[in-house]
Amino acid sequence: VPPEKPVNITCWSKNMKDLTCKWAPGTEGETFLHTNYTLKYKLRWYGRDNTCQEYHTAGPYSCHIPKDLALFTPYEIWVEASNRLGVAVSDVVMLDILDVVTTDPPSDVHVSRVGDLEDQLSVRWSSPPALKDFLFQAKYQIQYRVEDSSEWKVVDDVGNQTSCRLAGLRPGTVYFVQVRCNPFGIYGSKKAGIWSDWSNPTAASTPRSERAAGSCDPKGGEQNTTLRRELKQFFGWVKKHAYGCSNLGIKLYDQWRVWLQKSHKTRNQVGKEP
């Protein structure tokens, strides 16, 4: 039978000079006859038809245009499928190269502990190098999971910064962390780009809790008493170490957490002495 119309054309650019596109062969796939696919493109308002030459670069139904592409002008892109019984042409996709830019994953991803805080990890990374010569911003996402789980948790609100602190983690646990990038605002483009692949997983472990293995949690009343006592300690510590501050930043809170953990550790060691 004749070929079906190719569908689902998607394209992306890694450096604003190239373009890679892929497509699907249709709802029934290829027919029993050998089918040839040809990716064609042209500038929207003028210019001749061009034919892509580098096929199968991103899979069986893909083609790569390495150079000689114009910016600030939309392209028309389509795919023609042909065999001995006929020709089928896809719908035309219109795009601007600046709106389909993607990057390599962020590089130099480092995950480290935050002092002695047992429920936090610090993540740092570098911006993708491929676009360093272009004016652009980026938004990042982080995903992380514990060592013995396949379920990833995603942090969406990282923004344009290249560091983030993960909180609320389990003490004494190995975490795997990945970061990805989406460039936007390139040369004034108002559309976001395309998310990069995730970086390779980077592993780090949170510090172990000072609580002895097998110990029992205090009862509800004892927890309330402990909380009141620790709050009193906290405000006493603030009065002593941060007099005159108008607000409490996260660094000040972290300093108190470290002080409190060391205080608990000292009390536990004293309690174990004969």
Side-chain angles (χ1 to χ4, degrees):
V1 295
E4 290 197 354
K5 181 175 73 173
V7 294
N8 298 335
I9 300 175
T10 57
C11 303
W12 63 92
S13 174
K14 278 291 187 72
N15 55 23
M16 291 188 290
K17 299 175 183 178
D18 72 338
L19 191 68
T20 300
C21 296
K22 63 180 181 180
W23 61 90
T27 54
E28 299 296 330
E30 288 197 31
T31 65
F32 291 105
L33 293 176
H34 174 71
T35 303
N36 290 316
Y37 293 91
T38 304
L39 178 80
K40 294 188 176 182
Y41 61 99
K42 70 173 183 177
L43 293 171
R44 182 180 181 185
W45 291 297
Y46 55 89
R48 58 183 177 82
D49 293 0
N50 298 279
T51 301
C52 183
Q53 302 295 328
E54 299 181 9
Y55 289 89
H56 312 299
T57 54
Y61 304 106
S62 65
C63 196
H64 178 239
I65 306 168
K67 59 182 180 178
D68 298 330
L69 293 171
L71 300 179
F72 308 107
T73 304
Y75 275 91
E76 295 181 358
I77 298 172
W78 67 96
V79 176
E80 296 180 358
S82 62
N83 64 21
R84 285 185 295 136
L85 296 181
V87 176
V89 181
S90 72
D91 294 335
V92 175
V93 172
M94 286 184 290
L95 60 86
D96 190 315
I97 303 298
L98 297 180
D99 295 335
V100 293
V101 176
T102 187
T103 71
D104 292 323
S107 58
D108 301 324
V109 179
H110 297 281
V111 185
S112 58
R113 296 181 177 182
V114 183
D116 293 332
L117 297 180
E118 60 195 27
D119 65 340
Q120 298 187 20
L121 289 173
S122 176
V123 186
R124 295 179 292 106
W125 60 90
S126 299
S127 298
L131 296 177
K132 64 181 180 180
D133 296 329
F134 300 100
L135 180 63
F136 81 106
Q137 291 180 296
K139 53 184 178 182
Y140 297 94
Q141 276 185 344
I142 296 175
Q143 68 174 9
Y144 63 96
R145 65 175 176 86
V146 297
E147 184 178 24
D148 57 354
S149 172
S150 60
E151 181 180 352
W152 293 91
K153 294 184 177 180
V154 178
V155 181
D156 283 317
D157 56 350
V158 180
N160 195 32
Q161 58 191 1
T162 54
S163 64
C164 182
R165 184 180 296 190
L166 304 178
L169 307 179
R170 298 196 320 222
T173 304
V174 176
Y175 283 87
F176 290 95
V177 181
Q178 294 178 293
V179 186
R180 67 177 181 173
C181 174
N182 187 330
F184 68 95
I186 299 176
Y187 290 142
S189 172
K190 295 182 180 180
K191 293 185 178 180
I194 299 173
W195 285 107
S196 71
D197 293 332
W198 290 102
S199 64
N200 293 326
T202 303
S205 63
T206 52
R208 290 190 176 276
S209 172
E210 295 296 336
R211 178 177 297 167
S215 61
C216 296
D217 289 333
K219 296 180 180 179
E222 294 174 350
Q223 287 180 335
N224 291 337
T225 302
T226 301
L227 178 60
R228 285 195 296 269
R229 182 173 66 249
E230 292 182 352
L231 284 174
K232 185 176 180 181
Q233 287 178 320
F234 173 58
F235 288 117
W237 185 89
V238 170
K239 184 176 181 181
K240 180 178 179 181
H241 295 280
Y243 180 78
C245 291
S246 59
N247 55 9
L248 302 179
I250 188 170
K251 291 184 179 180
L252 182 61
Y253 178 74
D254 290 346
Q255 292 174 16
W256 172 72
R257 288 281 303 279
V258 172
W259 172 84
L260 187 62
Q261 289 176 11
K262 290 181 178 178
S263 176
H264 286 173
K265 184 175 181 181
T266 302
R267 284 204 306 272
N268 291 338
Q269 290 174 345
V270 171
K272 292 176 183 178
E273 294 179 359

